[in-house]
Amino acid sequence: MSASSVWHRHRSLALLAAVWPELASEQPPARERLAELLERASPGWRVIEPPQKCAYEALVASGQIPTRAGSWHDVFNVVAFAQFPTAKRALHGRVGALQVARRSLAAARGSRANDRGREEDALALIDECSVVLAGSSEAIAAYEQVQAGPIERIDEVIRASGIRARVLGHALLEHLVLERPAISTTVVTVGLSGSFDWAAVDEALAERIASGGFPVPQRAARLTWPDPLVDAWLE
């Protein structure tokens, strides 16, 4: 990987590098640098070395983000916490609660609890592979009318309606840096009634997650990643 090329080839990466220049490197930044980044963007979180026995959801609930050294996957997970701190806390809190419920039910039945439920699958896809589209309720409704159509038509509606986009799924950004083949995204839409603000998007998404608003994996809207049209929407 050439850091000078990959970080400027994709708008999503270039935007991150403009805010956090320490990311634009051939090697993942050290945990200490990630901790500094997170402190500037969203104070209150701690970036830690993963314990040997890592109850991940419980650690996140206590404000800690287990992060492996030398892992782009974990680097972009920290970036997701920086940009969507409330939604990420809600997501892992919801997953933790679902895990406890599943294990309790299995114990009561005397069975094993290895298989994730459908909501856990949905949240895993959001955590790893989602793009958030946010705008007015009318704009989101316009998008939903064309979401199954060709990307060119979706692009027209996104631009005309003023919908704005950010990457939440950290595996998508890892995918770009490691220059892997194209995959599909999970699209998450957030409609706002007031003026636009990414903090309000974060809060609204967190509320939907916490209330069980993603009971099954999203299948209706899946965009190819990377795609130059999708990349151009991002901010």
Side-chain angles (χ1 to χ4, degrees):
M1 176 189 71
S2 169
S4 61
S5 61
V6 73
W7 284 91
H8 293 89
R9 191 182 312 142
H10 302 286
R11 177 177 171 80
S12 48
L13 293 179
L15 290 169
L16 291 178
V19 178
W20 299 303
E22 56 266 61
L23 293 177
S25 171
E26 293 188 6
Q27 300 298 323
R31 273 190 295 267
E32 294 75 15
R33 300 301 300 275
L34 292 172
E36 294 169 3
L37 176 158
L38 193 58
E39 181 62 26
R40 296 197 305 269
S42 183
W45 293 98
R46 290 180 57 216
V47 178
I48 65 167
E49 180 178 0
Q52 286 189 344
K53 293 185 178 179
C54 180
Y56 188 88
E57 319 303 337
L59 289 171
V60 171
S62 67
Q64 302 177 87
I65 307 171
T67 303
R68 295 167 295 182
S71 168
W72 278 116
H73 190 83
D74 288 13
V75 165
F76 291 121
N77 187 46
V78 172
V79 170
F81 273 96
Q83 295 195 313
F84 292 94
T86 310
K88 285 282 283 183
R89 185 184 291 275
L91 188 150
H92 292 292
R94 182 74 179 177
V95 169
L98 291 169
Q99 289 173 347
V100 169
R102 173 163 50 86
R103 290 165 185 161
S104 296
L105 180 60
R109 292 175 173 174
S111 61
R112 301 178 66 181
N114 289 341
D115 295 333
R116 291 189 313 202
R118 296 290 281 161
E119 186 177 357
E120 287 178 79
D121 287 339
L123 295 176
L125 286 172
I126 291 170
D127 192 35
E128 298 283 346
C129 302
S130 65
V131 171
V132 177
L133 300 182
S136 67
S137 299
E138 294 78 11
I140 295 301
Y143 162 75
E144 290 173 347
Q145 289 294 315
V146 301
Q147 64 182 344
I151 185 62
E152 293 78 11
R153 178 59 181 141
I154 295 172
D155 181 60
E156 290 174 2
V157 171
I158 294 286
R159 294 178 181 278
S161 64
I163 288 175
R164 296 159 75 172
R166 272 189 180 174
V167 174
L168 170 56
H170 51 288
L172 295 182
L173 297 172
E174 176 197 29
H175 199 82
L176 297 184
V177 165
L178 298 182
E179 302 185 275
R180 291 172 173 166
I183 57 172
S184 294
T185 68
T186 290
V187 177
V188 175
T189 56
V190 177
L192 299 176
S193 57
S195 59
F196 188 91
D197 179 83
W198 277 111
V201 174
D202 184 31
E203 291 283 350
L205 181 54
E207 290 177 7
R208 184 176 171 190
I209 290 170
S211 64
F214 296 95
V216 296
Q218 303 282 91
R219 298 296 184 191
R222 298 179 67 80
L223 299 169
T224 299
W225 180 268
D227 181 280
L229 292 179
V230 177
D231 203 42
W233 304 338
L234 299 168
E235 62 178 58

